[in-house]
Amino acid sequence: MKINVLLFAGVAEAVGKRDLRLELPEKTTVHTLIDRLATEYPDAADLIRHSVIALNQDYAEADQVIRPGDEIALIPPVSGGEERQPAPLLFITEESLSADRLIREVSNPWAGAVLTFAGIVREYTHGQKTVALEYEAYAPMALRKMEEIVGEIRRRWPEVRVAMGHRTGKLAIGEISVLIAVASPHRGESFAAGHYAIERLKETVPIWKKEIWADGSQWKGPQTGPWDPRQKRSPAPPLGTDT
């Protein structure tokens, strides 16, 4: 399908055009369109990734499908007021995870270190052979909890930027189930914030996994939440304490 994308302000200047005409596959999502624009216009990629798409004069969600005839506009960040960090890239997907995408998202002129953590589907756990893993998520709540984790990290390490993605569906041995990228001025903050991110994700984000073995299967979860009644204490250290 053929679409037109309207551009404004800084993003129009960076691209050098006020509108673009593109050929897209049917059922293309807003997220896919952003990725394509960032790839085709690398000099404007950072600004494009921190912009949002409006469909028919209303802000669109990342997974929203673009339809023929939609009025599409790329809305760059609004200037003025208090300077804020870009919104983090947080998502739940059935598609394969890309470390390159998350690294591009968190990289910035102040980052001297970028750390990535990938959770891999392993074949053996405690001597038992796994055939595959199947993940299920309560996606709206999962994304909100991931946002809370990013907020906690920013309060502890203000200069850190974080991006997180988690797979759902059936994964084969060797596939990436969760991917986290962290950027900071120095490597110490990246290691600390990355460790904090995965531990909090395992504790509070409602994502379950089904371990599938040759002779059976079992669901693991739910997560322990903000308070683990079995331990009678908060599972994560309070903000401001060293880990």
Side-chain angles (χ1 to χ4, degrees), residues 77-87 108-110 154 158 161:
V78 177
S79 63
E82 182 182 357
E83 183 178 353
R84 301 179 63 187
Q85 287 188 335
N108 64 87
W110 297 274
R154 285 180 172 173
R161 291 189 185 177

Side-chain angles (χ1 to χ4, degrees), residues 18 82 239:
R18 288 277 172 185
E82 182 182 357
L239 298 178

Side-chain angles (χ1 to χ4, degrees), residues 69-232:
D70 280 347
E71 181 180 294
I72 306 168
L74 186 66
I75 310 295
V78 177
S79 63
E82 182 182 357
E83 183 178 353
R84 301 179 63 187
Q85 287 188 335
L89 176 67
L90 307 169
F91 61 98
I92 307 293
T93 181
E94 292 187 353
E95 304 297 325
S96 298
L97 298 175
S98 167
D100 289 342
R101 179 188 172 199
L102 269 68
I103 289 172
R104 287 195 303 268
E105 180 69 20
V106 299
S107 295
N108 64 87
W110 297 274
V114 176
L115 171 76
T116 59
F117 168 82
I120 309 295
V121 178
R122 59 177 177 257
E123 188 170 6
Y124 288 92
T125 303
H126 303 302
Q128 188 166 25
K129 185 174 182 178
T130 301
V131 176
L133 291 183
E134 183 176 342
Y135 285 88
E136 181 177 331
Y138 179 20
M141 181 177 174
L143 291 172
R144 192 179 72 179
K145 290 299 179 184
M146 289 164 78
E147 289 176 354
E148 290 177 4
I149 293 169
V150 172
E152 293 171 8
I153 288 172
R154 285 180 172 173
R155 288 193 291 275
R156 294 184 70 152
W157 301 280
E159 296 178 307
V160 166
R161 291 189 185 177
V162 186
M164 291 188 276
H166 205 296
R167 288 282 305 274
T168 54
K170 193 172 182 180
L171 278 67
I173 301 301
E175 288 194 271
I176 298 175
S177 60
V178 58
L179 192 60
I180 299 172
V182 181
S184 63
H186 307 286
R187 63 180 180 272
E189 296 96 325
S190 283
F191 280 107
H195 179 266
Y196 185 91
I198 186 60
E199 292 302 318
R200 290 294 283 153
L201 187 147
K202 289 163 60 180
E203 290 166 353
T204 67
V205 179
I207 298 174
W208 301 265
K209 69 177 178 180
K210 185 178 185 179
E211 295 187 357
I212 304 171
W213 312 303
D215 58 351
S217 62
Q218 181 182 7
W219 282 102
K220 300 288 187 178
Q223 311 296 6
T224 58
W227 184 271
D228 187 343
R230 295 166 299 180
Q231 300 179 16
K232 303 298 182 185

Side-chain angles (χ1 to χ4, degrees), residues 5 22 28 33 35 37 40 72 87 107 114 118 168 172 197 224-225 230:
V5 182
L22 302 175
T28 293
L33 174 59
D35 272 355
L37 292 174
E40 291 191 7
I72 306 168
S107 295
V114 176
T168 54
T224 58
R230 295 166 299 180

